[in-house]
Amino acid sequence: MFSIIIGFSSFILTILLVVYNAFSKKIRRNSFDFILDNTWIKLTFSLFCGSLIFISLSVFTIQIANINTIITLLYFSSFITFGNLFIQFPLIILCIKHSSSYDTIKELIKKVTEIDISNLYDPNNENDVNLIENLEKNKLIQLKDIGVSAIKENDWGLPQTILNDLYEKLIIPLNKETEKKVIFKNLYAYNFICRHFKKVSVEEIDEITVSVLLNNLLRTHLHLANNEIRILRNNPIDETIIDLYRLLIENNNFYNQQSYLLNKVISVIQEHIKSMNYSDEEVPTMDYNMQNLKKERNYEMTIPKNYWFYLKTELPDILFKPLQIAIENKNKNVYSNFCWQLNNLFDTITNSKTLTEYQENEIFQEYSYRARRITDLAINNEIYRGIEFYQHHQIEEWIIQKKKYGLSTLYDFSYLLTKLNNKKNLYNDHIDDFFMIARSISSKKIDIELKLNVIKIIVEDAFKIFENKKSEQYVKDEIVRQLKWLNDYFLREEELSELKREYSDKIEKL
């Protein structure tokens, strides 16, 4: 019996090596610690050791025992030996199964504590020995190492499990009642994992991990917006999103994902704008302060004011910085759709039910300024098609609604035409869209002074383009055609008689 147990020990050792190898492929460092935490391995090894000790004691007892005791020990030894062998096989199967399942990783994620998060966010620097020991045992760092190794070995399931389960543990519990420090710690901890997965997943062309990573980063933003978490300035998630976009834009192996990048980030910005619900007193804009100089001002940087600043100046970076990178890299797959993406964004601002009029005007001006800069960059990089960040019907609608920015968007459109014309890339559809505003608004029942002013701006700018020495002949021909078409409205509409007297003869001479 003793020889059987001893012989079986080599089999146990072989199984332990198999289990260790399975763990080491996933876990690399700390593999031995994970093996010792395996309940099935502990039970298997304990039964084996117990049998070995019992048989050893029986061997020594036989030398001094009588025949009845020897027979009894023989039966017991046989029963324990063969029972142990019978039980060991299913236990060994469970050991191997446990070592190759994701249960170990899920259990490790469940064991992530506030201490792990705090040590990662603000390491204890009392002495180097403690610091290294804390980092070695930190479960978040272990999960980072496990995920990076899995990505390199084309195991997309493991990093996906880590990203999703950590999202549930670190991000989902956050709400507007959560302490500021807890919010920043959890965001930092989750971003730590995402930041390390980001580069290696792109390098390994792991489309599944990249997709899950990007979706979870944007889901984090949506969760923050929907739960009215306003402490977002200088948060680490934004930089990771921008850098991930940069890597994807510069790598054509992700061609299929590139065209959807802007669409996803636009939805995040839109959700933040929709979540704004503060009065002008809580979030006073510059125009509001100028209109209410006699009111006592509160100069304290409150949470709503901080969030408003973030919404205007920092949040747009996750859209416009990747867009800038795409244009500079001539990645048409990314920037080709940016005009209608911006159209949707501006519609969200102008149709917002929660922004006050002052807030709507201010944020519109901030985003339109960014859009103008991007358009200039596109033209300077010889990109001329599909770069109109306003549609003609939007401009018309804003003018009719007497939005403060209505006429400024018309001037923006005129500036775009002039710049394209100077680059000798002004297309007929651009000119037609410009005149479409004049034709459409000429028949609308709106303030006559506003109507005449809008049409005058369009006609005067058209004459400037016509008289520009840089204008191509096809541009001049289209300008003449559009002006004569508009002149028919002057002759037909009684309200436009002033324009008829001023421009009809000049147009007919063209």
Side-chain angles (χ1 to χ4, degrees), residues 199 478 506:
K199 185 178 180 181
E478 180 64 18
K506 188 176 181 181

Side-chain angles (χ1 to χ4, degrees), residues 345-359:
L345 178 57
F346 286 122
D347 276 340
T348 299
I349 294 173
T350 59
N351 296 324
S352 172
K353 297 291 191 289
T354 55
L355 294 174
T356 68
E357 184 178 351
Y358 288 109
Q359 293 165 0

Side-chain angles (χ1 to χ4, degrees), residues 294-448:
K294 294 182 180 180
K295 282 189 176 182
E296 185 178 349
R297 296 187 191 180
N298 179 12
Y299 292 98
E300 180 186 356
M301 186 56 78
T302 60
I303 290 176
K305 290 178 183 177
N306 254 310
Y307 182 64
W308 180 243
F309 183 86
Y310 171 77
L311 200 61
K312 292 188 305 176
T313 60
E314 294 182 19
L315 182 61
D317 286 344
I318 67 174
L319 169 65
F320 289 105
K321 282 189 177 180
L323 194 49
Q324 177 183 341
I325 294 167
I327 290 171
E328 290 173 346
N329 282 272
K330 303 292 177 67
N331 191 326
K332 187 176 181 180
N333 195 33
V334 176
Y335 69 69
S336 60
N337 295 322
F338 89 83
C339 65
W340 65 265
Q341 300 282 6
L342 290 175
N343 298 160
N344 291 337
L345 178 57
F346 286 122
D347 276 340
T348 299
I349 294 173
T350 59
N351 296 324
S352 172
K353 297 291 191 289
T354 55
L355 294 174
T356 68
E357 184 178 351
Y358 288 109
Q359 293 165 0
E360 177 191 327
N361 291 336
E362 185 162 282
I363 199 169
F364 187 97
Q365 296 295 346
E366 291 286 346
Y367 279 76
S368 63
Y369 170 71
R370 293 287 196 101
R372 286 195 300 275
R373 289 182 59 188
I374 282 294
T375 301
D376 284 343
L377 180 66
I379 293 173
N380 292 337
N381 280 272
E382 301 179 346
I383 299 168
Y384 308 115
R385 302 294 299 224
I387 59 173
E388 307 90 345
F389 47 93
Y390 310 131
Q391 292 292 324
H392 64 84
H393 63 85
Q394 289 179 308
I395 297 174
E396 178 192 339
E397 183 180 350
W398 298 333
I399 291 172
I400 291 173
Q401 293 175 353
K402 294 186 177 181
K403 298 285 189 181
K404 183 179 179 181
Y405 45 80
L407 286 178
S408 68
T409 59
L410 182 63
Y411 287 122
D412 288 341
F413 200 174
S414 176
Y415 170 78
L416 174 63
L417 265 60
T418 301
K419 187 150 189 174
L420 288 172
N421 186 54
N422 290 336
K423 290 284 186 177
K424 299 186 181 298
N425 274 280
L426 178 58
Y427 297 97
N428 288 347
D429 53 354
H430 290 136
I431 301 171
D432 185 60
D433 285 347
F434 193 48
F435 275 90
M436 183 86 71
I437 299 170
R439 291 195 300 272
S440 178
I441 212 168
S442 65
S443 58
K444 294 287 172 56
K445 300 297 181 182
I446 62 171
D447 179 73
I448 184 62

Side-chain angles (χ1 to χ4, degrees), residues 45 98 124 148 161 254 317 324 326 341 351 387 392 461 486:
F45 193 72
H98 183 73
N124 182 3
V148 168
T161 300
F254 294 91
D317 286 344
Q324 177 183 341
Q341 300 282 6
N351 296 324
I387 59 173
H392 64 84
D461 287 344
L486 186 60

Side-chain angles (χ1 to χ4, degrees), residues 50-63:
S51 300
L52 185 62
I53 292 170
F54 181 82
I55 298 299
S56 300
L57 292 174
S58 297
V59 169
F60 290 111
T61 304
I62 287 173
Q63 298 176 5

